[in-house]
Amino acid sequence: ELQKAFGIPVIGAIPRAATKNRRALLAYAIKRPSSAIMEAIRDLRTSLSASETRGRQGDGKDGTVLVMTSSVPAEGKTTSSILLALNSAALDKKVLLIECDLRRSTFRTYFGPRMELGLLHAIEQKHDWESAVWTESKTNMDIIFGGTSKGRNAADIFASEDFSDFIDQAKQKYDLIVLDSPPVLPVPDARLIAKLS
């Protein structure tokens, strides 16, 4: 119905996770790589890879930047972002997962409190942004937690040249950068972030 109404192809459909506990999700995905949700993520990754190949221009040295969003909260975008990054890292790709929701950070509910430094530190520290990166040992994917905006407006942060420069630097190091953004309807952040994807 969506394809008929808008003429835009649906490239994947992700079922609900079998666990409601966010902390248990990572363990479930690692232990059950053939589960329905991981097969759906694999299918999504394959569709994205095919569209990336068709859309790639130039010498292809820069990593791919993918923005994951939703219309409203609680539609599964963070879960999908994490599982897509996990699945891509399993292919020996260099993957960076970035939590771009500076208003409502949820990565800690999945991974625990791992880093004091967050995204704002990475953006501000042009030559030391990697100090904000935490590597998840079971999956070998790199993660930057959202943290807080330290009193700054989140939309202004994502509209800044500093954020764009940070993403450009990360693209030189990673094959895939997954940006888990806030939902589109409540705030403008995702539309600003999407310009870099």
Side-chain angles (χ1 to χ4, degrees):
E1 288 175 357
L2 287 169
Q3 288 182 160
K4 281 181 189 174
F6 299 105
I8 299 170
V10 173
I11 58 170
I14 312 299
R16 287 191 181 275
T19 175
K20 298 228 181 237
N21 181 337
R22 289 177 173 173
R23 188 74 64 92
L25 177 68
L26 201 60
Y28 177 84
I30 292 167
K31 287 179 186 173
R32 307 273 313 271
S34 298
S35 62
I37 192 167
M38 291 312 294
E39 287 294 349
I41 290 290
R42 198 169 289 110
D43 187 50
L44 173 63
R45 186 202 72 216
T46 302
S47 296
L48 287 169
S49 181
S51 65
E52 173 195 344
T53 302
R54 287 194 304 271
R56 176 74 74 184
Q57 295 178 359
D59 60 11
K61 286 183 183 171
D62 286 347
T64 299
V65 178
L66 175 69
V67 175
M68 299 286 275
T69 191
S70 61
S71 54
V72 294
E75 291 185 322
K77 79 181 163 44
T78 297
T79 297
S80 298
S81 296
I82 291 169
L83 294 180
L84 181 63
L86 180 151
N87 189 263
S88 298
L91 294 177
D92 290 329
K93 287 191 177 230
K94 189 85 173 133
V95 177
L96 177 63
L97 173 65
I98 304 175
E99 181 179 33
C100 291
D101 195 337
L102 299 177
R103 293 175 168 89
R104 187 173 170 263
S105 179
T106 58
F107 272 25
R108 280 172 167 69
T109 61
Y110 290 88
F111 301 105
R114 300 295 182 184
M115 287 288 285
E116 290 300 318
L117 303 176
L119 177 58
L120 194 58
H121 173 84
I123 295 168
E124 291 173 343
Q125 303 299 315
K126 294 182 194 276
H127 303 295
D128 189 34
W129 63 268
E130 291 177 77
S131 62
V133 174
W134 171 69
T135 301
E136 206 290 317
S137 59
K138 291 184 187 122
T139 62
N140 206 34
M141 66 178 167
D142 287 347
I143 300 169
I144 295 179
F145 289 81
T148 67
S149 60
K150 297 181 183 174
R152 293 174 58 190
N153 182 282
D156 292 345
I157 292 168
F158 294 121
S160 72
E161 281 187 33
D162 287 342
F163 179 67
S164 176
D165 290 345
F166 157 64
I167 295 298
D168 283 342
Q169 288 182 52
K171 283 165 61 176
Q172 301 306 311
K173 181 169 180 174
Y174 291 93
D175 299 312
L176 175 66
I177 301 165
V178 179
L179 305 178
D180 180 51
S181 82
V184 172
L185 292 179
V187 292
D189 303 9
R191 284 172 285 160
L192 294 164
I193 295 166
K195 291 177 182 178
L196 305 177
S197 68

